[in-house]
Amino acid sequence: MSAPCLRNIWNIEIINQQNFSDNLKLADVTPVFKKDDANLTKNYRPVSVLPIVSKIFERLLQKQTISYIDQYLSKFLCSYRQGYSTQTALITMLEKWKNILDSKGYSGAILMDLSKAFDTINHELLLAKLHAYGFSKQALSILSSYLDNRKQRVKINNTFSSWTDLIQGVPQGSVLGPLLFNIYLNDLFFFLSCDVCNFADDTTPYVCHKNLEFVLNKLEEQSNIAINWFENNHMKMNSDKCHLLISGNKFEHLWAKIGNDRIWETRTVKLLGVTIDNVLKCDEHMTNNCLKANRKLSALTRIRKYLDFSKTRILFKGFFESQFKYCPLTWMFYSRHTNNKINHLHERALRLVYNDYELTFNELLENDGSFTVHHYNIQTLCIELYKVFNNLAESIFSDLFIRNNSSYNTRMKSDFVIPQINTVLKGSNSIRYYGPVIWNLIPNEIKYVDSLEIFKNKIRMWKPINCPCRVCKTYVPNVGFLETFE
């Protein structure tokens, strides 16, 4: 189909006649297995495969819709938005926790999960919300046509079910669906008076305060408000996936009443793919990552003799290194013991790729043109700081740092204020403290370049000298960490 033909369909049928063709709304649904018991239908995600032409028109609708609605979307909505990610949501929450815990306070969260959230969206209510946000009659008519008269069938291998009407929900696998889901969920945050870690259907209200009783009471209050909102908006919370996590210096085992259920606190939870414990250490998460990386490395070892160098290196980059590149800023403050395990695995992998058992680990890294996982994480943090410094980051992340607006231009002036801290685990092992310290170590010819792309290219070749973190410091048994000076 030529571009002029598509242009005519867009201009005449969709824009002028406000009609999204029914032929573009036929979806083949493939059930994709998620986890746990493969015999339970709830453990499958229905992914819709729509006509390609439909996605072209959806992309146009999405761009025009987001250009208007983005100003009304909550900063807590971190899914399906440019500049936001799971890391944005997690880092914002964890840094606020560390800040209050460093001051001997408490933090708590209720992890809430919606059941089949994308499939429960009520079309009439969605259109009513779009009208409340100020969408024109023409825009509402087009979106109404997009939602109406949808049909889908299930495809398993080469077998198809009969067609059935889709009377609610947005298709998973569509281009416009995620944005419509965000708009549908957005007014939830108008009702909540606490911070929220949100990504798609994972909604986690959390509270930080000096008083433990206040934290528990506020969590119960805000969680019940959220539950009422879900019920009023035709959504259902998955109660068996609801968890309570409390951090702070306490001795009793706590619980909270959420809806009609009493939920006891847990020591560890998995939120957005990252394991978090109640003392905010990341060693358990990294231990699991090391186990997964070790299994992948073992598989690569078995097939290495059948592969040439280039294919082996691609598999190493794609399956081994990627294990340590998901949300790296959430777990970068691991122990020296964990760092040694990661480096040992990294060294084994490089020896396998290059078939070299004589060079040192640092020489292998130099040959590969790469860095250790820890130094890669530092470089990633520097990129985020560059975005903040140049007003390229979203406010939810920028709020973690305070710009230094002092009028005195001294030789040691810092671009960011280094906050006062009281502890190592919650103070110096935090992005809000460690970020400004690392930023000061970057040479001026790197951190003051004109574009983000140039900065990325330069920072990916830089390794900090005299890094103050406990992983980089020299440690002498029975003595402790030794300070280094330039």
Side-chain angles (χ1 to χ4, degrees):
M1 186 178 288
S2 62
C5 183
L6 289 176
R7 185 176 63 244
N8 290 336
I9 294 174
W10 172 260
N11 290 331
I12 299 173
E13 187 169 351
I14 296 180
I15 299 299
N16 293 338
Q17 299 179 9
Q18 300 162 26
N19 176 54
F20 201 91
S21 175
D22 290 347
N23 292 328
L24 301 179
K25 295 184 283 189
L26 301 176
D28 288 332
V29 178
T30 301
V32 178
F33 178 65
K34 295 188 291 186
K35 60 180 180 178
D36 300 332
D37 190 353
N39 294 317
L40 298 177
T41 56
K42 68 178 183 179
N43 293 331
Y44 288 82
R45 176 177 285 111
V47 176
S48 301
V49 179
L50 293 159
I52 293 179
V53 174
S54 170
K55 295 196 174 187
I56 295 174
F57 294 144
E58 284 188 62
R59 183 68 66 186
L60 294 171
L61 287 174
Q62 183 206 39
K63 287 183 178 180
Q64 295 184 26
T65 303
I66 196 65
S67 65
Y68 172 76
I69 196 64
D70 194 56
Q71 60 184 317
Y72 299 110
L73 294 182
S74 169
K75 66 178 182 180
F76 297 123
L77 279 171
C78 293
S79 58
Y80 317 119
R81 299 177 68 186
Q82 186 176 2
Y84 291 82
S85 65
T86 51
Q87 180 168 266
T88 308
L90 287 170
I91 279 293
T92 305
M93 181 184 74
L94 293 175
E95 287 299 305
K96 289 182 178 180
W97 286 16
K98 288 182 179 181
N99 189 17
I100 192 66
L101 294 175
D102 188 53
S103 303
K104 298 183 179 180
Y106 301 89
S107 62
I110 297 289
L111 282 71
M112 311 174 81
D113 182 76
L114 295 173
S115 179
K116 308 296 183 184
F118 279 77
D119 301 327
T120 59
I121 290 180
N122 182 279
H123 292 172
E124 292 184 1
L125 183 55
L126 173 60
L127 292 171
K129 292 185 179 190
L130 291 170
H131 179 263
Y133 285 121
F135 278 67
S136 67
K137 289 183 178 180
Q138 181 187 26
L140 291 174
S141 181
I142 293 173
L143 291 172
S144 177
S145 176
Y146 169 82
L147 294 169
D148 289 343
N149 299 324
R150 286 196 165 269
K151 294 182 182 294
Q152 62 183 22
R153 62 182 178 180
V154 178
K155 176 181 181 293
I156 299 178
N157 297 326
N158 293 321
T159 305
F160 296 87
S161 71
S162 58
W163 291 101
T164 183
D165 293 327
L166 184 66
I167 59 176
Q168 64 180 25
V170 291
Q172 293 196 50
S174 64
V175 174
L176 193 57
L179 175 58
L180 295 179
F181 178 83
N182 272 355
I183 296 172
Y184 193 84
L185 191 67
N186 188 59
D187 62 286
L188 165 65
F189 306 107
F190 299 157
F191 292 87
L192 298 177
S193 59
C194 67
D195 291 324
V196 184
C197 175
N198 170 266
F199 194 89
D201 57 349
D202 288 305
T203 303
T204 303
Y206 62 92
V207 178
C208 301
H209 200 267
K210 290 293 187 70
N211 184 276
L212 178 58
E213 185 178 358
F214 177 89
V215 170
L216 286 171
N217 291 337
K218 189 72 172 179
L219 279 177
E220 290 182 347
E221 171 196 304
Q222 296 300 302
S223 297
N224 288 319
I225 290 174
I227 291 172
N228 289 332
W229 187 93
F230 293 145
E231 291 177 352
N232 293 332
N233 286 266
H234 309 280
M235 289 182 161
K236 182 181 179 182
M237 191 181 74
N238 205 341
S239 57
D240 59 341
K241 292 185 179 181
C242 194
H243 301 284
L244 169 66
L245 188 69
I246 300 291
S247 293
N249 187 17
K250 58 184 181 59
F251 302 98
E252 65 272 40
H253 192 56
L254 303 173
W255 58 270
K257 188 174 182 182
I258 308 300
N260 297 322
D261 301 316
R262 176 181 292 187
I263 299 176
W264 290 91
E265 67 168 316
T266 56
R267 190 185 69 83
T268 63
V269 295
K270 192 169 185 178
L271 178 60
L272 303 181
V274 177
T275 303
I276 303 171
D277 61 28
N278 56 3
V279 292
L280 302 190
K281 288 186 177 180
C282 55
D283 287 323
E284 182 174 341
H285 176 76
M286 293 312 299
T287 297
N288 293 332
N289 271 9
C290 287
L291 289 173
K292 293 177 184 177
N294 184 57
R295 287 196 292 267
K296 292 180 179 180
L297 184 56
S298 298
L300 184 59
T301 302
R302 290 194 294 271
I303 64 174
R304 173 64 178 91
K305 61 183 178 181
Y306 304 109
L307 304 171
D308 59 24
F309 168 76
S310 61
K311 290 185 176 64
T312 304
R313 191 169 185 272
I314 289 172
L315 288 174
F316 159 68
K317 294 289 184 180
F319 291 93
F320 179 83
E321 278 196 352
S322 62
Q323 193 65 53
F324 301 101
K325 290 188 177 181
Y326 176 73
C327 292
L329 301 186
T330 62
W331 46 259
M332 68 179 295
F333 298 107
Y334 44 72
S335 66
R336 294 173 64 87
H337 174 69
T338 300
N339 185 62
N340 291 337
K341 287 198 296 185
I342 296 172
N343 287 345
H344 176 66
L345 283 169
H346 199 175
E347 182 179 349
R348 277 180 54 203
L350 287 173
R351 293 197 187 284
L352 179 66
V353 171
Y354 288 92
N355 196 26
D356 191 310
Y357 297 88
E358 300 296 331
L359 296 178
T360 65
F361 180 37
N362 287 330
E363 289 171 336
L364 287 168
L365 288 170
E366 187 175 347
N367 278 358
D368 190 57
S370 58
F371 294 86
T372 64
V373 171
H374 177 63
H375 285 140
Y376 171 83
N377 294 344
I378 292 176
Q379 294 167 354
T380 302
L381 175 59
C382 293
I383 292 172
E384 295 302 324
L385 284 164
Y386 180 88
K387 293 178 184 178
V388 174
F389 181 71
N390 291 278
N391 299 317
L392 301 175
E394 299 299 332
S395 62
I396 193 171
F397 196 86
S398 300
D399 291 345
L400 298 178
F401 306 100
I402 303 174
R403 295 287 295 271
N404 192 345
N405 296 319
S406 173
S407 58
Y408 297 99
N409 292 316
T410 61
R411 185 172 63 90
M412 299 300 292
K413 180 182 176 181
S414 173
D415 294 319
F416 297 99
V417 175
I418 300 177
Q420 295 294 321
I421 58 172
N422 301 309
T423 65
V424 171
L425 182 60
K426 312 301 189 305
S428 59
N429 284 0
S430 65
I431 298 295
R432 63 187 177 88
Y433 173 82
Y434 187 64
V437 172
I438 284 295
W439 181 258
N440 290 341
L441 299 180
I442 304 175
N444 289 345
E445 60 269 21
I446 296 179
K447 65 182 176 182
Y448 295 134
V449 295
D450 295 331
S451 75
L452 178 60
E453 288 304 315
I454 296 175
F455 181 82
K456 285 181 178 179
N457 293 333
K458 288 179 175 292
I459 206 67
R460 288 303 185 197
M461 303 300 295
W462 174 77
K463 183 168 71 172
I465 300 174
N466 296 336
C467 175
C469 75
R470 294 166 72 86
V471 169
C472 295
K473 282 183 180 179
T474 302
Y475 179 79
V476 179
N478 301 322
V479 175
F481 291 96
L482 301 182
E483 296 290 339
T484 54
F485 302 93
E486 295 187 46

